[in-house]
Amino acid sequence: MTENTITPPDVRHVIGRIMRGLMARGGEGVPNVIARLTDQPLTDPHFRLPEPATKPVVSYLDQTLIQAATLDRELADGLKVIAPALHWAQSESYTDDILGAGFKDNYAWAELIGPKGFFAGDDFLLGFLMLGPHRHYLDHYHPAPELYWPLTEPSDWKKGDNQPFIARKQGEVIWHPTLVTHATITHEAPLLAVYCWTRHVKVGARLVALMK
């Protein structure tokens, strides 16, 4: 399938699998995400095809989808269908000088809902994050409350200043309240995770390292 043959039901199927997966697991932040997601305009007239764009880390996508399929095969298969149309992007302030050599080749995100996604959304972002193996996504924060749902493992996550990293399993729900500092470490496997910003999406993430 090419980007020009992807339809609104293809994308809504992926969004629906994310919603059902989160509802089945529950946890902190899930009711907030579901309530905001339910309110988003996702009808056919609101659909548009993004301008496809890729990044080096997307070379790991097929590998991550194999593992993601062990969690939710329909979600993994659905993501593979719409993958040709995804617009993979990076935060402009993230550089190798700050985040370590090779970080930019091992980091990207793509929106399902948002300015670069299939649906513009209403102060709401939903998409996927990819990190390559052996990466440290340094402490950062943002006004948007944020949920992560890792579709692969292993990965370690930290929430709050001076807090330890905690190993998170595939399928765990991770919630970051507004302005709470957080960070992520990957190990031998690349990371594919669903992410969601529920409000205040126009203000991007700030790296703590840039504030020193």
Side-chain angles (χ1 to χ4, degrees):
M1 181 173 288
T2 66
E3 62 268 20
N4 293 326
T5 60
I6 292 165
T7 66
D10 294 329
V11 181
R12 284 196 294 264
H13 173 70
V14 175
I15 294 170
R17 292 308 303 178
I18 293 170
M19 178 182 286
R20 282 187 284 274
L22 292 175
M23 291 176 66
R25 283 157 183 81
E28 186 180 8
V30 170
N32 185 350
V33 169
I34 298 304
R36 292 287 292 133
L37 179 52
T38 302
D39 287 341
Q40 298 306 305
L42 304 180
T43 58
D44 286 11
H46 295 97
F47 179 81
R48 75 279 174 92
L49 284 171
E51 180 179 351
T54 190
K55 299 294 180 187
V57 72
V58 181
S59 65
Y60 292 112
L61 182 60
D62 286 345
Q63 178 182 340
T64 61
L65 287 176
I66 291 171
Q67 191 179 38
T70 66
L71 179 72
D72 187 328
R73 177 166 294 280
E74 287 192 47
L75 173 55
D77 289 346
L79 175 51
K80 189 170 185 176
V81 167
I82 67 172
L86 291 173
H87 182 101
W88 291 95
Q90 298 173 333
S91 299
E92 292 183 3
S93 62
Y94 290 10
T95 67
D96 286 3
D97 288 342
I98 299 167
L99 287 149
F103 186 85
K104 291 201 73 171
D105 284 346
N106 286 276
Y107 151 81
W109 44 264
E111 296 170 353
L112 299 174
I113 303 173
K116 300 179 187 299
F118 298 92
F119 300 96
D122 177 17
D123 196 23
F124 183 88
L125 300 178
L126 179 71
F128 297 97
L129 169 74
M130 290 199 69
L131 289 177
H134 304 292
R135 292 294 141 187
H136 185 180
Y137 188 176
L138 295 175
D139 286 12
H140 58 285
Y141 63 93
H142 36 74
E146 176 184 63
L147 180 141
Y148 275 112
W149 185 33
L151 304 179
T152 58
E153 63 181 26
S155 57
D156 299 340
W157 300 71
K158 183 180 81 167
K159 180 168 68 173
D161 295 330
N162 303 313
Q163 296 301 306
F165 279 91
I166 298 173
R168 297 287 193 168
K169 295 181 179 180
Q170 176 192 43
E172 285 194 52
V173 172
I174 302 163
W175 177 248
H176 300 140
T178 181
L179 296 176
V180 170
T181 300
H182 50 281
T184 308
I185 291 176
T186 60
H187 298 286
E188 64 274 10
L191 170 70
L192 175 66
V194 172
Y195 78 91
C196 178
W197 284 18
T198 60
R199 291 192 185 278
H200 311 306
V201 305
K202 292 184 178 180
V203 181
R206 302 278 309 264
L207 287 165
V208 173
L210 291 178
M211 306 300 293
K212 296 179 180 179

